[in-house]
Amino acid sequence: NANRVKRFLPVSILCVLLNIYVYGQDVPVYSQKLTNSFLYNPSVAGNTLGSATLSYRQQWGSVEGSPRTVFFSIHTPFAKHRFGTGFNVYQEKSGVNENLFASGAFAYHLRFTDNNMISAGVSVEYVNTRVNYSIVDVIDPNDDLLTGNQSNANSIHFSFGLSYSSKYLKLGASANRLGSLVGISDSTSQFSQFYSAFANFALPVAGDRDVLEPIVYFRKFANGTHQIDGGLYYTYKETITLGGSYRTGGTIGLT
C-alpha cells in the first residue's frame, strides 16, 4: 500500500464526467455523487488517494438562457492518511437565476487495518443566490415580479458525515445544510437541510484485474420527499470507468 501511495499520490486524477439526462433535476445537480461520495459526505475527504473532478454541462444549447453548470471538486489525505481535506465549487446559471455553492471539508480517519477504516467529517458551505436583472428588458420597474423578490441572498450551512470503508464495501451517512436548524441561515430557503446515505460494493472480477461496483444512494429532504439513485460501474485496470445510473423521477446518467 505504501508503494502504491508513493506511485499514485503525485498524479492528479482528472475525471470529466459527461451526463445524458432524460428528465428531471435537483438543485444543485451533483450528478457525480455515485462516483464521488465526497460531494455530500465530508467524512470521505482523503479516505483514498484523493481525487479531482471537473464537470461542465450545457443543456438545450440552442435555447437562449438555457441552464449551464460548472463544477470542480478535489480532496486529498495528509498526515499519513490520518486526516483529509477538500473543497467543492459549483456554479449554475439558468436564465436570470445564478447560484454559487462553495464548501470546504475536514475529515478524521481511524484506521484499524489496511482495509478497514471509520471516518468522521464536517464541512462548511457558502451559498449565494441572485437574480441577474441586467439581462432582462424591464418594461415596468415597479413590477411586483421584480420588487417582490430579493435579488441577492447569502447563507452559510454546515454538514456532518460518517463513513466506513473496507476492501469490498463502503457505507456512509450524512446530514447536510444544517444552518437553518441552528439559526445561522433562513429556514425558508429553498436549499434546506437534507439527509443522505450510500452503499458502495466493490466486486473483483477478471482475476482481481477489474472491479464491478453496484452503488445505491438515498437522499431525504426536509419537506419529506426523497430520491434514490442506483448505479453500476465497471473499472478496467484502475484506469477507465464506464457505467450508468438511474434516479427516481426518470433521470438516466451515463459515465
Side-chain angles (χ1 to χ4, degrees):
N1 288 331
N3 291 333
R4 290 182 61 193
V5 171
K6 292 179 182 179
R7 185 168 45 146
F8 289 110
L9 192 56
V11 180
S12 297
I13 305 171
L14 183 62
C15 303
V16 179
L17 304 181
L18 303 178
N19 295 272
I20 301 175
Y21 286 87
V22 175
Y23 173 78
Q25 66 177 11
D26 54 356
V27 179
V29 186
Y30 287 156
S31 309
Q32 297 80 17
K33 59 179 172 292
L34 288 176
T35 54
N36 185 0
S37 300
F38 169 61
L39 304 185
Y40 290 137
N41 193 324
S43 70
V44 177
N47 70 347
T48 59
L49 298 179
S51 72
T53 301
L54 175 65
S55 174
Y56 173 84
R57 184 177 65 179
Q58 174 73 62
Q59 299 184 79
W60 315 317
S62 60
V63 179
E64 184 178 357
S66 59
R68 177 172 61 87
T69 59
V70 179
F71 172 73
F72 178 70
S73 172
I74 187 170
H75 69 94
T76 183
F78 67 96
K80 297 182 179 180
H81 287 250
R82 291 180 56 195
F83 305 101
T85 188
F87 65 88
N88 300 308
V89 178
Y90 180 94
Q91 185 183 48
E92 176 184 53
K93 293 184 179 181
S94 180
V96 298
N97 298 302
E98 298 181 3
N99 302 318
L100 173 67
F101 305 83
S103 63
F106 175 83
Y108 171 74
H109 307 297
L110 179 61
R111 189 180 298 273
F112 300 103
T113 67
D114 287 343
N115 296 317
N116 288 273
M117 177 174 59
I118 292 179
S119 304
V122 294
S123 66
V124 177
E125 180 183 40
Y126 166 75
V127 180
N128 174 263
T129 61
R130 63 187 297 263
V131 178
N132 187 359
Y133 294 131
S134 64
I135 63 175
V136 180
D137 292 330
V138 179
I139 298 176
D140 181 5
N142 297 317
D143 194 320
D144 289 340
L145 180 63
L146 299 181
T147 60
N149 292 277
Q150 186 175 3
S151 62
N152 195 334
N154 300 285
S155 59
I156 300 293
H157 297 275
F158 70 93
S159 302
F160 174 76
L162 295 171
S163 60
Y164 166 78
S165 177
S166 69
K167 184 176 181 180
Y168 301 111
L169 175 66
K170 294 179 181 179
L171 300 172
S174 64
N176 303 80
R177 299 232 171 93
L178 302 179
S180 59
L181 295 182
V182 296
I184 62 175
S185 294
D186 185 2
S187 60
T188 63
S189 170
Q190 61 174 316
F191 307 114
S192 59
Q193 67 268 18
F194 63 90
Y195 308 93
S196 64
F198 70 89
N200 185 342
F201 301 89
L203 309 176
V205 294
D208 289 344
R209 183 196 67 185
D210 305 336
V211 178
L212 181 66
E213 294 181 277
I215 304 174
V216 178
Y217 215 105
F218 173 82
R219 284 199 299 165
K220 182 176 179 59
F221 299 93
N223 62 7
T225 62
H226 67 273
Q227 287 182 341
I228 300 176
D229 294 71
L232 186 64
Y233 299 89
Y234 189 94
T235 300
Y236 173 75
K237 287 187 176 181
E238 298 184 332
T239 304
I240 299 176
T241 297
L242 299 175
S245 65
Y246 177 82
R247 183 173 70 211
T248 52
T251 300
I252 294 177
L254 298 179
T255 299

